[in-house]
Amino acid sequence: QVQLVESGGGLVQPGGSLRLSCAASGIAFSIYAMGWYRQAPGKQRELVATITTGGMTNYADSVKGRFTISRDNAKKMVYLQMNSLKPEDTAVYYCNARRKNDYWGQGTQVTVSS
């Protein structure tokens, strides 16, 4: 049974930082591309960042220079370091594992507000 479990969300003031974590189980983690997506109220889910099996990264223009995705294959973890957070970053953040199939976590809420 595949499970992706996100953690680390919460309420943070504008300009603050959060680190999201995603723990994977039930998959051969190292052969999956991993990613973070987000969905704000009333909007479609959108890509935030992805990381390939070889460690190549890709970011949405809106988060470039502020967010960093990383992975630890030994621990089966993927992380999203979010700095200089803005109110428009408020959303539910989802972890994704992709190879032939797509797997999703349940999401973690990030709220950026003063």
Side-chain angles (χ1 to χ4, degrees):
Q1 181 183 1
V2 179
Q3 277 195 312
L4 300 174
V5 180
E6 301 99 334
S7 60
L11 173 64
V12 63
Q13 291 187 341
S17 297
L18 282 175
R19 188 193 194 208
L20 304 183
S21 300
C22 173
S25 60
I27 59 172
F29 182 82
S30 63
I31 64 173
Y32 277 77
M34 300 298 297
W36 288 95
Y37 291 72
R38 67 187 181 187
Q39 188 167 16
K43 295 187 176 182
Q44 290 189 330
R45 191 173 297 189
E46 63 176 3
L47 179 147
V48 175
T50 60
I51 185 166
T52 68
T53 56
M56 292 183 62
T57 58
N58 179 56
Y59 297 93
D61 287 344
S62 59
V63 307
K64 280 182 182 176
R66 299 189 298 123
F67 291 10
T68 303
I69 187 171
S70 61
R71 64 189 296 162
D72 185 331
N73 288 340
K75 295 182 178 179
K76 295 188 176 183
M77 297 287 294
V78 62
Y79 306 99
L80 185 69
Q81 178 67 42
M82 305 187 294
N83 299 326
S84 303
L85 282 160
K86 304 175 182 180
E88 51 263 43
D89 295 318
T90 295
V92 177
Y93 283 70
Y94 296 91
C95 178
N96 170 262
R98 175 169 296 168
R99 192 165 182 251
K100 294 180 180 179
N101 296 320
D102 265 318
Y103 299 104
W104 296 92
Q106 82 288 349
T108 185
Q109 176 70 46
V110 172
T111 303
V112 184
S113 175
S114 55

